[in-house]
Amino acid sequence: MTSEPFITPDLLSLMIPIVAIVMGIGLVMLSIYVDYLRKREILNAVHRERMAAIEKGIELPPLPPEIFQSRNRGGSRSPARTLERGLILMFIGIGIGVALWQTGNKAAWWGLLPFGIGLAYLVSSRLRAAEWQPPASGASDPNFR
């Protein structure tokens, strides 16, 4: 009686894209749910504040703009953040290219891919620097982490 492994290489090669798709969709769903929870908490806090103001007879403050805005992941990113990403990708590309070149591998040219993306980020940061305005509220940029 021969024992055949349950997970064969053929089965594993089919499972990898399925798991990747399921995890990708799951992460998007989780992001949407967390954004919903964040907005709900803001609305509850604003509601409690407004109800307390009404009870005390104080004039109601205006609604915060965070209630009506969704999280923008790239539209208002600061030039400093774009510059940082560009430098990181350029150095990753250089590192990959040098490491593969030292091993005598012809795949060293693949290091140009992250290098080129990093270079594009650097150019983008220079273009954004001329037109970028810091947030007007006096708070730091929420996309800068």
Side-chain angles (χ1 to χ4, degrees):
M1 181 161 143
T2 62
S3 64
E4 197 171 305
F6 178 70
I7 298 179
T8 63
D10 292 336
L11 181 62
L12 186 62
S13 67
L14 289 174
M15 287 176 55
I16 290 173
I18 292 171
V19 169
I21 291 169
V22 169
M23 290 296 288
I25 292 172
L27 287 174
V28 169
M29 291 171 56
L30 179 67
S31 172
I32 291 170
Y33 180 67
V34 168
D35 192 46
Y36 161 75
L37 290 178
R38 182 185 63 85
K39 285 183 181 180
R40 187 176 74 179
E41 285 299 316
I42 291 173
L43 274 174
N44 284 339
V46 168
H47 176 72
R48 286 192 302 269
E49 178 185 346
R50 293 175 78 80
M51 293 305 289
I54 289 172
E55 287 176 2
K56 293 179 182 178
I58 301 173
E59 185 178 329
L60 295 174
L63 290 173
E66 295 89 27
I67 294 176
F68 306 109
Q69 297 172 350
S70 63
R71 287 182 11 180
N72 190 355
R73 296 199 181 264
S76 64
R77 186 170 293 135
S78 70
R81 180 70 175 150
T82 308
L83 177 67
E84 177 188 15
R85 285 185 179 202
L87 288 173
I88 289 170
L89 281 170
M90 281 183 62
F91 285 120
I92 287 173
I94 291 170
I96 289 172
V98 169
L100 290 174
W101 178 67
Q102 286 295 321
T103 60
N105 196 337
K106 289 187 178 183
W109 292 104
W110 285 104
L112 290 177
L113 187 65
F115 181 82
I117 295 171
L119 194 59
Y121 268 119
L122 288 178
V123 170
S124 174
S125 74
R126 291 294 146 210
L127 294 175
R128 286 182 189 214
E131 65 187 35
W132 185 73
Q133 297 294 323
S137 65
S140 63
D141 186 7
N143 290 321
F144 188 78
R145 313 176 240 253

